[in-house]
Amino acid sequence: MSSTVPVFLESASTTTTGGWKASAAVIMNERGAVISLTGNEANDLRKIQRAGRQLDNLGINAVSLQGDSWNLEQQWAFAKGFTDTLSKNKITWANHEQQLNLLQKHANWVRELINLPPEAIYPEALAQRVADKLTELAPAAISVRKVVGDELLAEQRMGIHTVGRASVKPPVMLVVDYNPSKDPKAEVDTVLIGKGITFDSGGLSIKSSEGMLAMKCDMGGAATVAGALGYAIEQGLNKRVQLVLCCAENLIDGRAYKLGDIITYKNGTTVEIVNTDAEGRLVLADGLIYAAEVNAKHIIDAATLTGAAQVAVGTEYNALFSVDDDYAQQALASAAANQELLWRLPLQPWHRDNCPSAFADTANSRPQKGGGAGGASNAAGFLLRFAPNEGAGWLHFDIAAAYHGSANGMCAAGATALGFRTIAATLLN
């Protein structure tokens, strides 16, 4: 067998298993690796992804997908499985090379950003990496603005500053304006907002050591929306879209924000802090206020926001929240068309009042573990307070499947990049 392993798709009725169990995701024989298909599309895509994982686990680092039976989604399912954490494995595609190379390029970039250690991807570094990458893709259509450290106070971006002020590495609000028309008065079609907490200790509501270990991934929302914009640009996005990344390290020193503190936002909303580990919604609020200021038609935010979303949908789905049924259905259709698992969870206008405070308009959570029952919906309800137009044209992705602390039968350890295709497709729709 050559150093590059050929991989074939076959119908289950024609596969010779030899000494392998018929249920095996992949069978090795003298031809190479064979994946036996059942004819059920959803099951077969999962089986193909599991086959990719098994080949990676065997120590294989280069494959060639053989034959005309591979379609684009089957090849991408294989690629999601046949991906080591550092994205070193090599795949020769059977067809659709241009589209698959583009997908792989942006998925690997999203995964790289999330997997980098926090010392390498602090707020200013994240903002700079994203600004450089997007400018490289469309230099004539991109402008960049960064609001850093105490400059945030001058612009009343109180959530980002409050969460990030205890770190020696200053918080940042990054605004990337993609304006292909170059008309400064062009309508902003969509504002993308990403939670960019580059490390989350939990603040004074400190996490356990094991709970903190993976918290370099807490900027997964920022990486996901940045990757979505880059992917959409390379697919011919012709609408004005602004990217807002709300970047901070949630750490502890004498300046750290405290339980009982009250933040007054630029729009006048007051928020009592009852849990400093419910910080993502505090920074996203600034992004939503910004989106209202530029009169965006649509707003999409993405965040590794709540453990409650992961409890609800597991680690293979992302969660979607919206009070705009038409826009939510559009996102769900985009997810289905791009084979990304997405599930809509409850959100009603009354969820805005589910974190009450006697001292402010709202608290940032409930003073219970995980925010109590319905924690993911209550967090989305908090954000709904800041979404313009009563939430019309707004989608909130709680990306529960963004990161796996250890490898499993479907994915390598680390970031998955799940969600960037859905958001890009929603932008392009």
Side-chain angles (χ1 to χ4, degrees):
M1 198 178 297
S2 68
S3 58
T4 298
V5 175
V7 184
F8 301 87
L9 292 182
E10 289 185 358
S11 167
S13 61
T14 63
T15 301
T16 302
T17 60
W20 295 79
K21 292 181 179 179
S23 60
V26 63
I27 295 168
M28 304 299 295
N29 60 26
E30 68 280 355
R31 296 169 63 203
V34 178
I35 304 169
S36 161
L37 302 183
T38 66
N40 180 294
E41 181 185 20
N43 288 343
D44 283 340
L45 289 175
R46 286 183 63 81
K47 187 173 187 181
I48 290 168
Q49 186 169 341
R50 286 195 297 114
R53 286 300 311 131
Q54 290 187 18
L55 292 175
D56 177 65
N57 286 334
L58 287 171
I60 295 168
N61 60 17
V63 299
S64 175
L65 307 185
Q66 297 289 313
D68 297 329
S69 57
W70 290 92
N71 64 35
L72 185 145
E73 292 301 339
Q74 289 168 336
Q75 291 179 87
W76 187 240
F78 181 88
K80 288 189 290 185
F82 187 68
T83 301
D84 66 335
T85 299
L86 299 180
S87 302
K88 291 182 178 179
N89 289 350
K90 304 297 182 186
I91 302 174
T92 301
W93 310 111
N95 47 55
H96 297 286
E97 292 91 346
Q98 183 175 0
Q99 183 69 17
L100 287 162
N101 284 337
L102 192 61
L103 267 172
Q104 192 173 52
K105 169 185 172 180
H106 289 281
N108 285 352
W109 182 52
V110 172
R111 293 176 66 242
E112 177 191 14
L113 287 175
I114 298 173
N115 286 338
L116 282 168
E119 188 63 23
I121 201 70
Y122 51 91
E124 286 181 292
L126 173 60
Q128 193 62 52
R129 282 175 182 262
V130 169
D132 289 347
K133 172 66 78 172
L134 296 177
T135 300
E136 174 188 315
L137 294 178
I142 291 280
S143 60
V144 174
R145 183 168 178 265
K146 286 182 279 188
V147 186
V148 182
D150 287 347
E151 294 172 1
L152 292 160
L153 291 175
E155 299 199 10
Q156 299 181 65
R157 309 303 180 188
M158 304 308 297
I160 301 171
H161 186 272
T162 298
V163 171
R165 72 191 186 200
S167 173
V168 297
K169 294 173 178 172
V172 179
M173 181 172 175
L174 172 72
V175 179
V176 177
D177 187 354
Y178 172 71
N179 187 1
S181 73
K182 305 179 184 62
D183 176 3
K185 296 183 179 179
E187 176 184 60
V188 178
D189 181 84
T190 305
V191 168
L192 299 173
I193 305 168
K195 173 186 172 184
I197 301 298
T198 57
F199 188 77
D200 182 18
S201 72
L204 290 173
S205 307
I206 193 167
K207 295 178 183 288
S208 64
S209 180
E210 60 272 19
M212 207 186 298
L213 178 60
M215 282 302 101
K216 65 182 182 181
C217 81
D218 217 16
M219 37 65 67
T224 299
V225 290
L229 179 56
Y231 184 51
I233 288 171
E234 293 217 74
Q235 289 189 299
L237 179 66
N238 60 5
K239 296 178 284 191
R240 187 177 186 182
V241 174
Q242 294 191 354
L243 174 74
V244 179
L245 301 189
C246 307
C247 308
E249 289 184 327
N250 187 23
L251 300 181
I252 303 170
D253 77 353
R255 300 179 66 221
Y257 70 120
K258 306 170 187 70
L259 283 76
D261 280 351
I262 293 177
I263 301 175
T264 301
Y265 280 88
K266 189 174 182 179
N267 66 357
T269 300
T270 56
V271 176
E272 181 190 7
I273 305 304
V274 301
N275 185 346
T276 63
D277 197 22
E279 85 297 330
R281 64 200 74 178
L282 298 176
V283 302
L284 290 176
D286 283 325
L288 290 165
I289 291 170
Y290 174 87
E293 291 170 354
V294 298
N295 297 312
K297 284 177 62 180
H298 304 99
I299 305 167
I300 300 174
D301 75 63
T304 49
L305 202 68
T306 64
Q310 196 170 77
V311 170
V313 302
T315 58
E316 293 185 39
Y317 277 80
N318 287 332
L320 175 69
F321 297 86
S322 183
V323 292
D324 187 327
D325 291 339
D326 290 341
Y327 201 23
Q329 288 304 317
Q330 186 185 127
L332 291 166
S334 294
N338 287 276
Q339 301 296 332
E340 291 195 323
L341 298 175
L342 181 67
W343 197 261
R344 189 177 180 187
L345 291 180
L347 180 63
Q348 295 292 334
W350 46 261
H351 278 105
R352 289 179 291 198
D353 300 318
N354 271 16
C355 297
S357 167
F359 303 98
D361 296 325
T362 184
N364 72 323
S365 185
R366 289 178 173 176
Q368 300 166 258
K369 182 176 176 60
S377 294
N378 295 339
F382 176 92
L383 295 178
L384 180 57
R385 281 183 170 270
F386 295 89
N389 306 315
E390 301 295 316
W394 168 65
L395 300 175
H396 164 53
F397 288 79
D398 196 332
I399 50 175
Y403 187 91
H404 295 157
S406 58
N408 57 35
M410 300 293 287
C411 298
T416 65
L418 185 75
F420 88 95
R421 288 184 74 187
T422 295
I423 294 173
T426 305
L427 283 178
L428 290 161
N429 191 342

